């Protein structure tokens, strides 16, 4: 059961309501029409491909662009400028551009691996807030994005999402790769509901 949105959740940019595969929480956003913006889906896809090719480290390490650890990577694929003191119209444009970037990336990746399974990360966020274990990379993702669009590819779990949860933070599109679907009792998208 999904909780009713709180005030902070209502301020999140929403991703267009998509078609849902059976047993999923939603479906991918619709790709934008018109020319691809500079650093658009092709750049984000190249970064996601580089992420899937990168070996997993033995220990957790964080950088300005993301975090990696045994069996996972999370990295920023696209980012807006700062929004702390932005004009409201500029902030709205950044949110719309982020949604468009995510939609274009989901559309391109879906051509490769089929329709994604959409997973709301509220349960993972609540578990973390209660001090309960949250498996990687969900522990990183749930603090940054409200949901992910996920695919399985050759045993790996690949996901993308956009956020963050706080309205004044810069918008970003994140990519995640895991050696296997995250577990730990949290329902995880992997070709259907677990």
């Amino acid at each position: 059961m999904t909780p009713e949105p709180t005030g902070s959740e209502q301020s999140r940019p929403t991703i267009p309501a998509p078609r849902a595969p059976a047993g999923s929480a939603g479906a991918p956003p619709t790709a934008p029409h018109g020319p691809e913006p500079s650093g658009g889906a092709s750049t984000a896809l190249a970064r996601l491909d580089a992420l899937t090719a990168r070996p997993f480290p033995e220990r957790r390490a964080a950088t300005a662009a993301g975090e990696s650890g045994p069996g996972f990577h999370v990295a920023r694929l696209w980012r807006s400028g700062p929004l702390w003191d932005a004009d409201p119209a500029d902030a709205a444009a950044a949110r719309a551009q982020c949604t468009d970037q995510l939609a274009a990336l989901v559309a391109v990746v879906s051509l490769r691996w089929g329709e994604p399974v959409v997973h709301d990360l509220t349960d993972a966020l609540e578990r973390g807030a209660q001090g309960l274990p949250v498996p990687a990379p969900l522990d990183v993702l749930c603090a940054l994005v409200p949901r992910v669009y996920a695919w399985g590819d050759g045993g790996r779990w690949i996901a993308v999402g956009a956020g963050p949860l706080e309205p004044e933070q810069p918008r970003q599109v994140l990519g995640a790769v895991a050696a296997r679907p995250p577990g730990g009792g949290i329902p995880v998208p992997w070709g259907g509901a677990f």
Side-chain angles (χ1 to χ4, degrees):
M1 176 183 250
T2 304
E4 289 297 314
T6 64
S8 65
E9 289 173 335
Q10 290 175 343
S11 63
R12 281 191 225 160
T14 58
I15 295 182
R19 296 169 297 150
S24 71
T30 308
H33 299 290
E36 181 179 298
S38 171
S42 60
T43 301
L45 182 61
R47 290 179 181 152
L48 185 62
D49 286 341
L51 198 63
T52 60
R54 189 186 317 165
F56 299 117
E58 292 182 19
R59 285 185 237 135
R60 267 188 122 131
T63 67
E67 187 170 339
S68 293
F72 80 94
H73 298 296
V74 175
R76 184 181 320 110
L77 305 177
W78 177 88
R79 180 182 176 161
S80 75
L83 300 176
W84 294 282
D85 294 324
D87 178 271
D90 292 341
R95 287 191 294 272
Q97 186 179 15
C98 183
T99 299
D100 290 349
Q101 291 287 336
L102 177 63
L105 181 60
V106 168
V108 170
V109 176
S110 294
L111 291 174
R112 187 184 286 178
W113 293 314
E115 289 293 314
V117 176
V118 183
H119 184 61
D120 184 320
L121 298 178
T122 304
D123 289 344
L125 184 62
E126 288 175 356
R127 286 176 61 93
Q130 294 170 6
L132 298 171
V134 178
L138 296 182
D139 60 341
V140 177
L141 290 167
C142 72
L144 300 171
V145 299
R147 71 190 58 80
V148 292
Y149 299 84
W151 300 264
D153 176 48
R156 287 194 172 194
W157 184 79
I158 299 161
V160 296
L165 302 178
E166 298 301 323
E168 71 279 356
Q169 296 293 318
R171 304 284 100 187
Q172 60 185 352
V173 175
L174 298 177
V177 177
R180 60 189 163 279
I186 297 172
V188 176
W190 182 255
F194 264 33

